[in-house]
Amino acid sequence: MELVENMLCGAEQSLSRLITLVERDTPDVPQIMKKILPRTGRASCIGITGPPGSGKSTLVDRLTAIARCKGLSVGIIAVDPTSPFSGGAVLGDRIRMQQHYLDDGVFIRSMATRGSLGGLPRAARAVIKLLDAFGKDLIIVETVGVGQTELDIMKMVDTTVVVLFPGGGDAIQTMKAGLMEIANIFVVNKADRQGAEQLVMELEAMLSLNPKNSYWEVPVLCTQAINNVGIEELYREIERHRNVLESTGRLSQQRQKQRREELIQAIEHGVSERLSRLMEKDENLIALFEKVEKGEMDPYSAAKDILSNGAMLRGWFAKLESEGNGGGKKK
């Protein structure tokens, strides 16, 4: 594809257009991913997650400034809630990162969650790969502030930073949400507020009771992103975590696991898409769904019948392939 060739040669406009194609899940996506594969795997990828109001965007802005001072090019994926009118991102973090908007070394893309409950849209993985292939040294992914379901991020990045703030009941949320399991670094932002020291103590106590692993002791850092306090220390810890992953061989293992997850997700999505189309035209499948809808058959038995009948499944998929859609969406 000419678009891919232009992107690999440094054309930012081509990169933007490829991201749009990926977001729309066009039939070209497999070809795009195949072409960029040899150029991926070089960038460091950081995930910034946490509840709304914790100052994630300001933190991303400050980390980007440090990376640029070090001569690194940066790609930012800023995930925002989906607009009920346009389907696009509501807030658009480019507004909150104005100092980098005109910087040629920084590429910022706002993405909408598009109904995802894990804090990230399904296309985020592919966009990370595009930014990597484009030559970005550092990729920062900021999740939407959905509180207790932002667990997808750990499956896409090298280092996960969980940002909390005093006064929001964050310690309790952390235990409920499972954020304790995904954090490589905890940040208590807005640390000038009352209750910051108490939150740090609670986090450190929980970490001591539930050590994550032997090779990395999860640090708890205090920052005031708005005042640019503690950001250098955070950046150093991110670098240290990356170095530990590389020296122990865990970076390679982690990425292998992520690629496996990506394959499973792609298969699940493809099967779901095909099944949705089959539901509209296959008489046997329509009849089965009607039985379930009328209460004549339970959903579990129906699903078992479908999944255990390999010949039926192959026949359905062959029917779809014969229509010339190749498993992609109708346009």
Side-chain angles (χ1 to χ4, degrees):
M1 289 180 68
E2 186 177 354
L3 266 181
V4 176
E5 296 300 328
N6 291 340
M7 184 271 286
L8 295 176
C9 291
E12 195 168 281
Q13 186 176 8
S14 296
L15 171 62
S16 296
R17 291 177 64 186
L18 286 169
I19 291 175
T20 300
L21 292 176
V22 165
E23 285 187 291
R24 292 176 179 174
D25 195 20
T26 68
D28 295 320
V29 171
Q31 185 182 357
I32 293 169
M33 293 297 106
K34 182 178 180 179
K35 278 186 169 292
I36 68 170
L37 180 62
R39 297 281 288 271
T40 59
R42 304 173 189 180
S44 296
C45 194
I46 304 167
I48 308 290
T49 188
S54 56
K56 297 189 296 294
S57 295
T58 307
L59 208 62
V60 170
D61 181 68
R62 300 293 191 248
L63 289 170
T64 301
I66 294 175
R68 292 298 294 137
C69 287
K70 293 177 177 289
L72 302 178
S73 61
V74 182
I76 300 171
I77 300 173
V79 183
D80 286 318
T82 302
S83 167
F85 303 104
S86 67
V90 169
L91 300 177
D93 280 271
R94 278 181 268 194
I95 297 171
R96 286 170 276 171
M97 302 175 192
Q98 290 183 14
Q99 67 167 315
H100 303 300
Y101 183 50
L102 299 177
D103 184 346
D104 291 338
V106 179
F107 181 90
I108 305 173
R109 181 70 174 221
S110 293
M111 296 181 67
T113 52
R114 299 182 184 274
S116 170
L117 299 178
L120 292 171
R122 198 183 69 84
R125 290 180 191 268
V127 177
I128 290 172
K129 291 180 183 293
L130 285 169
L131 290 171
D132 189 3
F134 187 66
K136 292 303 177 184
D137 302 306
L138 178 66
I139 300 169
I140 303 177
V141 184
E142 178 197 343
T143 73
V144 68
V146 294
Q148 296 185 23
T149 56
E150 300 179 41
L151 306 182
D152 285 352
I153 187 69
M154 66 175 293
K155 302 174 183 177
M156 302 188 191
V157 301
D158 304 323
T159 301
T160 303
V161 179
V162 175
V163 186
L164 307 174
F165 67 104
D170 294 308
I172 296 173
Q173 265 203 353
T174 300
M175 287 186 286
K176 287 196 301 181
L179 289 178
M180 182 66 69
E181 299 301 319
I182 73 168
N184 302 121
I185 300 170
F186 272 112
V187 172
V188 176
N189 194 31
K190 305 181 181 182
D192 52 331
R193 291 187 178 183
Q194 185 177 359
E197 290 184 8
Q198 179 64 29
L199 178 55
V200 170
M201 290 173 58
E202 289 175 350
L203 289 170
E204 289 177 340
M206 286 189 290
L207 287 167
S208 66
L209 292 172
N210 299 281
K212 188 174 180 181
N213 44 56
S214 59
Y215 68 90
W216 177 254
E217 185 176 338
V218 179
V220 181
L221 307 178
C222 291
T223 63
Q224 298 173 41
I226 194 70
N227 298 318
N228 208 23
V229 174
I231 309 303
E232 289 277 359
E233 291 80 358
L234 171 58
Y235 194 92
R236 284 198 295 270
E237 284 299 300
I238 291 171
E239 287 185 316
R240 188 169 74 88
H241 182 253
R242 165 78 181 209
N243 291 335
V244 168
L245 288 178
E246 288 182 333
S247 63
T248 59
R250 285 178 169 81
L251 180 63
S252 176
Q253 294 173 13
Q254 187 170 298
R255 290 187 171 182
Q256 286 176 7
K257 185 177 180 181
Q258 289 172 352
R259 288 192 287 269
R260 180 184 175 89
E261 290 269 356
E262 187 177 9
L263 171 60
I264 292 171
Q265 186 186 55
I267 293 171
E268 288 175 345
H269 179 69
V271 171
S272 177
E273 286 288 304
R274 295 184 182 196
L275 190 59
S276 295
R277 296 205 310 278
L278 280 167
M279 285 167 55
E280 300 174 358
K281 58 187 69 178
D282 185 88
E283 294 180 0
N284 293 328
L285 193 56
I286 291 171
L288 197 59
F289 270 84
E290 287 179 350
K291 283 185 178 181
V292 173
E293 289 171 355
K294 293 176 181 178
E296 297 173 0
M297 188 176 192
D298 70 276
Y300 300 96
S301 297
K304 183 179 179 181
D305 287 350
I306 292 172
L307 295 174
S308 62
N309 193 331
M312 183 189 297
L313 286 172
R314 287 192 295 272
W316 283 341
F317 289 153
K319 185 185 298 184
L320 285 174
E321 293 296 335
S322 68
E323 296 174 359
N325 293 325
K329 291 182 176 179
K330 287 186 177 180
K331 299 295 176 186

